[in-house]
Coordinates of all heavy atoms in Angstrom, one line a residue:
F117 N -2.9 1.4 -1.5 CA -2.4 0.2 -2.0 C -1.6 0.4 -3.2 O -1.9 1.4 -4.0 CB -3.4 -0.9 -2.1 CG -4.5 -0.6 -3.2 CD1 -4.2 -0.8 -4.5 CD2 -5.7 -0.1 -2.8 CE1 -5.2 -0.6 -5.5 CE2 -6.7 0.2 -3.8 CZ -6.4 -0.1 -5.1
V118 N -0.6 -0.4 -3.5 CA 0.2 -0.3 -4.7 C 0.3 -1.7 -5.3 O 0.6 -2.7 -4.6 CB 1.6 0.3 -4.4 CG1 2.4 0.4 -5.7 CG2 1.5 1.6 -3.7
Q119 N 0.2 -1.8 -6.6 CA 0.3 -3.1 -7.3 C 1.2 -2.9 -8.5 O 1.0 -1.9 -9.3 CB -1.1 -3.6 -7.8 CG -1.0 -4.9 -8.5 CD -2.4 -5.2 -9.1 OE1 -2.8 -4.6 -10.1 NE2 -3.0 -6.2 -8.6
Y120 N 2.2 -3.8 -8.7 CA 3.1 -3.7 -9.9 C 3.0 -5.0 -10.6 O 3.2 -6.1 -10.0 CB 4.5 -3.3 -9.5 CG 5.4 -3.3 -10.7 CD1 5.2 -2.3 -11.7 CD2 6.3 -4.3 -11.0 CE1 6.0 -2.3 -12.8 CE2 7.1 -4.3 -12.1 CZ 7.0 -3.2 -13.0 OH 7.8 -3.2 -14.2
T121 N 2.8 -5.0 -11.9 CA 2.8 -6.2 -12.8 C 3.9 -6.1 -13.8 O 3.9 -5.3 -14.7 CB 1.4 -6.2 -13.5 OG1 0.4 -6.2 -12.6 CG2 1.4 -7.5 -14.3
P122 N 5.0 -6.9 -13.6 CA 6.2 -6.8 -14.5 C 5.9 -7.1 -15.9 O 6.4 -6.5 -16.8 CB 7.1 -7.8 -13.9 CG 6.7 -8.0 -12.5 CD 5.2 -7.8 -12.5
A123 N 4.9 -8.0 -16.2 CA 4.7 -8.4 -17.6 C 4.2 -7.3 -18.5 O 4.5 -7.3 -19.7 CB 3.6 -9.6 -17.6
T124 N 3.5 -6.3 -17.9 CA 3.0 -5.2 -18.6 C 3.6 -3.9 -18.2 O 3.3 -2.8 -18.7 CB 1.5 -5.1 -18.5 OG1 1.1 -5.0 -17.1 CG2 0.8 -6.3 -19.1
D125 N 4.6 -3.9 -17.3 CA 5.2 -2.8 -16.7 C 4.2 -1.7 -16.3 O 4.2 -0.6 -16.7 CB 6.2 -2.1 -17.8 CG 7.2 -1.1 -17.1 OD1 7.3 -1.1 -15.9 OD2 7.8 -0.4 -17.9
T126 N 3.2 -2.2 -15.4 CA 2.1 -1.4 -15.0 C 2.1 -1.3 -13.5 O 2.2 -2.3 -12.8 CB 0.8 -2.0 -15.5 OG1 0.8 -2.0 -16.9 CG2 -0.4 -1.2 -15.0
T127 N 1.9 -0.1 -13.0 CA 1.7 0.2 -11.6 C 0.3 0.8 -11.4 O -0.1 1.6 -12.1 CB 2.7 1.2 -11.1 OG1 4.0 0.6 -11.1 CG2 2.4 1.5 -9.6
V128 N -0.4 0.3 -10.4 CA -1.7 0.8 -10.0 C -1.5 1.3 -8.5 O -1.1 0.5 -7.7 CB -2.8 -0.3 -10.1 CG1 -4.1 0.3 -9.5 CG2 -3.0 -0.8 -11.5
V129 N -1.9 2.5 -8.3 CA -1.9 3.1 -6.9 C -3.3 3.5 -6.6 O -3.9 4.3 -7.3 CB -1.0 4.3 -6.8 CG1 -1.0 4.9 -5.4 CG2 0.5 3.9 -7.3
G130 N -3.8 3.0 -5.4 CA -5.2 3.3 -5.0 C -5.1 4.1 -3.7 O -4.4 3.6 -2.7
A131 N -5.9 5.2 -3.5 CA -5.9 5.9 -2.3 C -7.1 5.6 -1.5 O -8.3 5.5 -2.0 CB -6.0 7.4 -2.6
L132 N -6.9 5.3 -0.2 CA -8.0 4.9 0.7 C -8.3 6.1 1.6 O -9.3 6.0 2.4 CB -7.6 3.7 1.5 CG -7.3 2.4 0.7 CD1 -6.9 1.3 1.7 CD2 -8.4 2.1 -0.2
T133 N -7.5 7.2 1.6 CA -7.7 8.3 2.5 C -7.4 9.6 1.7 O -6.7 9.6 0.7 CB -6.8 8.3 3.7 OG1 -5.4 8.1 3.3 CG2 -7.2 7.1 4.6
N134 N -7.9 10.7 2.2 CA -7.6 12.0 1.6 C -6.5 12.6 2.4 O -6.7 13.4 3.3 CB -8.9 12.9 1.7 CG -10.0 12.4 0.9 OD1 -9.9 12.3 -0.3 ND2 -11.2 12.1 1.5
S135 N -5.3 12.2 2.1 CA -4.1 12.5 2.9 C -2.9 12.9 2.1 O -1.8 12.4 2.5 CB -3.9 11.4 3.9 OG -3.8 10.2 3.2
G136 N -3.1 13.6 1.1 CA -1.9 14.1 0.3 C -1.1 13.0 -0.4 O 0.1 13.0 -0.5
I137 N -1.9 12.0 -1.0 CA -1.2 10.9 -1.8 C -0.9 11.4 -3.2 O -1.8 11.9 -3.9 CB -2.1 9.7 -1.8 CG1 -2.3 9.2 -0.3 CG2 -1.5 8.6 -2.7 CD1 -3.3 8.1 -0.2
E138 N 0.3 11.3 -3.6 CA 0.7 11.7 -5.0 C 1.4 10.6 -5.7 O 2.2 9.8 -5.1 CB 1.6 12.9 -4.9 CG 1.0 14.1 -4.3 CD 1.9 15.3 -4.2 OE1 3.2 15.1 -4.4 OE2 1.5 16.5 -4.0
V139 N 1.2 10.5 -7.0 CA 1.7 9.5 -7.9 C 2.5 10.1 -9.0 O 2.1 11.1 -9.6 CB 0.6 8.6 -8.5 CG1 1.3 7.5 -9.4 CG2 -0.2 7.9 -7.4
G140 N 3.7 9.6 -9.2 CA 4.6 10.1 -10.3 C 5.0 9.0 -11.2 O 5.1 7.8 -10.8
N141 N 5.3 9.3 -12.5 CA 5.8 8.3 -13.4 C 7.3 8.1 -13.3 O 7.9 8.8 -12.4 CB 5.4 8.7 -14.9 CG 6.0 10.0 -15.3 OD1 6.4 10.8 -14.5 ND2 6.1 10.2 -16.6
R142 N 7.9 7.3 -14.1 CA 9.3 6.9 -13.9 C 10.2 8.1 -14.0 O 11.1 8.3 -13.2 CB 9.7 5.9 -15.0 CG 11.1 5.4 -14.9 CD 11.4 4.4 -16.0 NE 10.6 3.2 -15.9 CZ 10.2 2.5 -16.9 NH1 10.4 2.9 -18.1 NH2 9.5 1.4 -16.7
N143 N 10.1 9.0 -15.0 CA 11.0 10.1 -15.2 C 10.5 11.4 -14.5 O 11.1 12.4 -14.7 CB 11.3 10.4 -16.6 CG 10.0 10.8 -17.4 OD1 9.0 11.2 -16.8 ND2 10.1 10.7 -18.7
R144 N 9.4 11.2 -13.7 CA 8.8 12.3 -12.9 C 8.4 13.5 -13.7 O 8.3 14.6 -13.2 CB 9.9 12.8 -11.8 CG 10.3 11.6 -10.9 CD 11.3 12.1 -9.9 NE 11.7 10.9 -9.0 CZ 12.6 11.1 -8.0 NH1 13.1 12.2 -7.7 NH2 12.9 10.0 -7.4
S145 N 8.0 13.2 -15.0 CA 7.5 14.3 -15.8 C 6.0 14.5 -15.5 O 5.4 15.5 -15.9 CB 7.7 14.0 -17.3 OG 7.1 12.8 -17.7
Q146 N 5.3 13.5 -14.9 CA 3.9 13.6 -14.6 C 3.8 13.4 -13.0 O 4.5 12.6 -12.4 CB 3.1 12.5 -15.3 CG 3.0 12.7 -16.8 CD 2.2 11.6 -17.4 OE1 2.7 10.4 -17.4 NE2 1.0 11.8 -17.9
N147 N 2.8 14.1 -12.5 CA 2.5 14.0 -11.0 C 1.1 14.2 -10.8 O 0.5 15.1 -11.4 CB 3.3 15.0 -10.2 CG 3.3 14.8 -8.8 OD1 3.7 13.7 -8.3 ND2 2.7 15.7 -8.0
Q148 N 0.4 13.3 -10.1 CA -1.0 13.3 -9.9 C -1.4 13.1 -8.5 O -1.0 12.1 -7.9 CB -1.7 12.2 -10.8 CG -3.2 12.1 -10.7 CD -3.9 13.3 -11.3 OE1 -3.5 13.7 -12.4 NE2 -4.9 13.8 -10.6
A149 N -2.2 14.0 -7.9 CA -2.7 13.9 -6.6 C -3.9 13.0 -6.6 O -4.7 13.1 -7.5 CB -3.0 15.2 -6.0
L150 N -4.1 12.1 -5.6 CA -5.3 11.3 -5.5 C -6.1 11.6 -4.3 O -5.6 11.8 -3.2 CB -4.8 9.8 -5.5 CG -4.0 9.2 -6.6 CD1 -3.7 7.7 -6.4 CD2 -4.8 9.4 -7.9
Q151 N -7.4 11.5 -4.5 CA -8.4 11.6 -3.4 C -8.8 10.1 -3.1 O -8.6 9.2 -3.9 CB -9.6 12.4 -3.8 CG -9.3 13.8 -4.2 CD -8.7 14.6 -3.0 OE1 -9.3 14.5 -1.9 NE2 -7.7 15.3 -3.2
A152 N -9.4 10.0 -1.9 CA -9.8 8.6 -1.5 C -10.8 8.1 -2.5 O -11.7 8.8 -3.0 CB -10.5 8.7 -0.1
G153 N -10.6 6.8 -2.9 CA -11.5 6.2 -3.9 C -11.0 6.4 -5.3 O -11.7 6.1 -6.2
Q154 N -9.8 6.9 -5.5 CA -9.2 7.1 -6.8 C -8.0 6.2 -7.0 O -7.3 5.9 -6.1 CB -8.8 8.5 -7.1 CG -10.0 9.5 -7.3 CD -9.5 10.9 -7.7 OE1 -8.5 11.4 -7.2 NE2 -10.2 11.5 -8.6
L155 N -7.9 5.7 -8.3 CA -6.8 4.9 -8.7 C -6.0 5.6 -9.8 O -6.6 6.3 -10.6 CB -7.2 3.6 -9.3 CG -8.0 2.6 -8.5 CD1 -8.7 1.6 -9.4 CD2 -7.0 1.8 -7.6
A156 N -4.7 5.5 -9.7 CA -3.8 6.0 -10.8 C -3.2 4.8 -11.5 O -2.7 3.9 -10.8 CB -2.8 7.0 -10.3
V157 N -3.2 4.8 -12.8 CA -2.6 3.7 -13.5 C -1.4 4.2 -14.3 O -1.5 5.2 -15.1 CB -3.6 3.1 -14.5 CG1 -3.0 1.8 -15.2 CG2 -4.9 2.7 -13.8
V158 N -0.2 3.6 -14.1 CA 1.0 4.0 -14.8 C 1.4 2.9 -15.7 O 1.7 1.8 -15.2 CB 2.1 4.4 -13.8 CG1 3.3 5.0 -14.6 CG2 1.6 5.4 -12.8
V159 N 1.5 3.1 -17.0 CA 1.9 2.0 -17.9 C 3.2 2.5 -18.6 O 3.3 3.6 -19.1 CB 0.8 1.8 -19.0 CG1 1.3 0.7 -20.0 CG2 -0.5 1.4 -18.4
R160 N 4.2 1.7 -18.4 CA 5.6 2.0 -18.8 C 5.9 3.4 -18.2 O 6.1 3.5 -17.0 CB 5.7 2.0 -20.3 CG 5.4 0.6 -20.9 CD 5.6 0.6 -22.4 NE 5.3 -0.8 -22.9 CZ 4.1 -1.2 -23.3 NH1 3.1 -0.4 -23.2 NH2 4.0 -2.5 -23.7
D161 N 6.0 4.5 -19.0 CA 6.5 5.7 -18.4 C 5.4 6.8 -18.5 O 5.7 8.0 -18.6 CB 7.8 6.2 -19.1 CG 8.5 7.3 -18.2 OD1 8.3 7.3 -17.0 OD2 9.1 8.2 -18.8
R162 N 4.1 6.4 -18.4 CA 3.1 7.4 -18.5 C 2.0 7.1 -17.5 O 1.6 5.9 -17.4 CB 2.5 7.5 -19.9 CG 3.3 8.2 -20.9 CD 2.6 8.3 -22.2 NE 1.3 9.0 -22.1 CZ 1.1 10.3 -22.0 NH1 2.2 11.1 -21.9 NH2 -0.1 10.8 -21.8
I163 N 1.5 8.1 -16.8 CA 0.2 8.0 -16.1 C -0.9 8.0 -17.1 O -1.1 9.0 -17.8 CB 0.0 9.1 -15.1 CG1 1.1 9.1 -14.0 CG2 -1.3 8.9 -14.4 CD1 1.1 10.2 -13.0
T164 N -1.5 6.9 -17.4 CA -2.5 6.7 -18.5 C -3.9 6.9 -18.1 O -4.8 7.2 -18.9 CB -2.4 5.4 -19.1 OG1 -2.7 4.4 -18.2 CG2 -1.0 5.2 -19.7
R165 N -4.2 6.8 -16.8 CA -5.7 6.9 -16.4 C -5.8 7.1 -14.9 O -5.0 6.7 -14.1 CB -6.4 5.6 -16.8 CG -7.8 5.5 -16.4 CD -8.5 4.2 -16.9 NE -8.4 4.1 -18.3 CZ -8.9 3.0 -19.0 NH1 -9.4 2.0 -18.3 NH2 -8.8 2.9 -20.3
I166 N -6.8 7.9 -14.6 CA -7.3 8.0 -13.2 C -8.7 7.5 -13.2 O -9.6 7.8 -14.1 CB -7.4 9.5 -12.8 CG1 -6.0 10.2 -12.9 CG2 -7.8 9.6 -11.3 CD1 -4.9 9.5 -12.1
A167 N -9.0 6.5 -12.3 CA -10.3 5.9 -12.2 C -10.8 5.9 -10.8 O -10.0 6.1 -9.8 CB -10.2 4.4 -12.7
Q168 N -12.1 5.8 -10.7 CA -12.7 5.8 -9.3 C -13.2 4.4 -9.0 O -13.6 3.6 -9.8 CB -13.9 6.8 -9.4 CG -14.5 7.1 -8.0 CD -15.5 8.2 -8.0 OE1 -16.0 8.6 -9.1 NE2 -15.8 8.8 -6.9
F169 N -13.1 4.1 -7.7 CA -13.6 2.8 -7.2 C -14.4 3.0 -5.9 O -14.2 4.0 -5.2 CB -12.4 1.8 -7.0 CG -11.5 2.1 -5.9 CD1 -11.6 1.4 -4.7 CD2 -10.5 3.0 -6.1 CE1 -10.7 1.7 -3.7 CE2 -9.6 3.3 -5.0 CZ -9.7 2.7 -3.8
D170 N -15.2 2.0 -5.6 CA -16.1 2.1 -4.5 C -15.4 1.6 -3.3 O -15.0 0.4 -3.2 CB -17.4 1.3 -4.8 CG -18.4 1.4 -3.6 OD1 -18.7 2.5 -3.2 OD2 -18.8 0.3 -3.1
L171 N -15.2 2.4 -2.3 CA -14.4 2.1 -1.1 C -15.2 1.0 -0.3 O -14.5 0.0 0.2 CB -14.2 3.3 -0.2 CG -13.2 4.3 -0.7 CD1 -13.3 5.6 0.1 CD2 -11.8 3.8 -0.7
K172 N -16.5 1.1 -0.2 CA -17.2 0.1 0.6 C -17.1 -1.3 0.0 O -16.8 -2.3 0.7 CB -18.7 0.5 0.6 CG -19.6 -0.5 1.4 CD -21.0 0.1 1.4 CE -21.9 -0.8 2.3 NZ -22.1 -2.1 1.7
T173 N -17.1 -1.4 -1.3 CA -16.9 -2.7 -2.0 C -15.5 -3.2 -1.7 O -15.3 -4.4 -1.5 CB -17.2 -2.6 -3.5 OG1 -18.6 -2.1 -3.7 CG2 -17.1 -4.0 -4.1
F174 N -14.6 -2.3 -1.8 CA -13.2 -2.7 -1.6 C -13.0 -3.3 -0.2 O -12.4 -4.4 0.0 CB -12.3 -1.5 -1.8 CG -10.8 -1.7 -1.5 CD1 -10.0 -2.3 -2.4 CD2 -10.3 -1.4 -0.2 CE1 -8.7 -2.6 -2.1 CE2 -9.0 -1.6 0.0 CZ -8.2 -2.2 -0.9
Y175 N -13.5 -2.7 0.8 CA -13.4 -3.2 2.2 C -14.1 -4.5 2.4 O -13.7 -5.3 3.2 CB -13.9 -2.1 3.2 CG -12.9 -0.9 3.3 CD1 -13.4 0.4 3.2 CD2 -11.6 -1.1 3.5 CE1 -12.6 1.5 3.2 CE2 -10.7 0.0 3.6 CZ -11.3 1.3 3.4 OH -10.4 2.4 3.5
E176 N -15.2 -4.7 1.7 CA -16.0 -5.9 1.8 C -15.4 -7.1 1.1 O -15.6 -8.2 1.5 CB -17.4 -5.7 1.3 CG -18.2 -4.7 2.2 CD -19.6 -4.5 1.6 OE1 -19.8 -4.8 0.4 OE2 -20.4 -3.9 2.3
T177 N -14.5 -6.9 0.1 CA -14.1 -8.0 -0.7 C -12.6 -8.3 -0.9 O -12.2 -9.3 -1.3 CB -14.7 -7.8 -2.2 OG1 -14.2 -6.6 -2.7 CG2 -16.2 -7.7 -2.2
N178 N -11.8 -7.3 -0.5 CA -10.4 -7.5 -0.7 C -9.7 -8.1 0.5 O -9.8 -7.5 1.6 CB -9.7 -6.2 -1.1 CG -8.3 -6.5 -1.7 OD1 -7.4 -6.5 -0.9 ND2 -8.2 -6.6 -3.0
E179 N -9.0 -9.2 0.3 CA -8.4 -9.9 1.5 C -7.3 -9.1 2.2 O -7.1 -9.3 3.4 CB -7.9 -11.2 1.1 CG -6.6 -11.2 0.3 CD -6.0 -12.6 0.2 OE1 -6.6 -13.6 0.8 OE2 -4.9 -12.7 -0.4
L180 N -6.7 -8.2 1.5 CA -5.6 -7.5 2.2 C -6.1 -6.6 3.3 O -5.3 -6.3 4.2 CB -4.8 -6.6 1.2 CG -3.8 -7.3 0.2 CD1 -3.1 -6.3 -0.6 CD2 -2.8 -8.1 1.0
V181 N -7.3 -6.2 3.3 CA -7.8 -5.4 4.4 C -8.6 -6.1 5.5 O -9.1 -5.5 6.4 CB -8.7 -4.2 3.9 CG1 -7.8 -3.3 3.0 CG2 -9.9 -4.7 3.1
Q182 N -8.8 -7.4 5.2 CA -9.7 -8.2 6.1 C -9.1 -8.2 7.6 O -7.9 -8.4 7.8 CB -9.9 -9.6 5.6 CG -10.6 -9.7 4.3 CD -11.9 -8.9 4.2 OE1 -12.8 -9.1 5.0 NE2 -11.9 -7.9 3.3
G183 N -10.0 -7.9 8.5 CA -9.6 -8.0 9.9 C -9.0 -6.7 10.5 O -8.8 -6.5 11.7

Side-chain angles (χ1 to χ4, degrees):
F117 64 81
V118 180
Q119 180 187 70
Y120 179 69
T121 305
T124 57
D125 196 17
T126 299
T127 295
V128 176
V129 179
L132 304 180
T133 53
N134 295 302
S135 51
I137 297 170
E138 297 181 344
V139 180
N141 61 339
R142 181 183 297 146
N143 65 16
R144 302 183 183 180
S145 62
Q146 292 177 291
N147 191 62
Q148 178 70 42
L150 296 182
Q151 298 298 313
Q154 286 187 321
L155 296 161
V157 185
V158 186
V159 181
R160 298 184 179 87
D161 196 31
R162 283 185 55 79
I163 300 176
T164 61
R165 181 177 296 177
I166 304 299
Q168 192 170 17
F169 68 100
D170 182 52
L171 289 168
K172 183 175 183 292
T173 304
F174 176 81
Y175 289 128
E176 290 175 348
T177 59
N178 193 274
E179 73 165 1
L180 283 183
V181 297
Q182 298 309 301

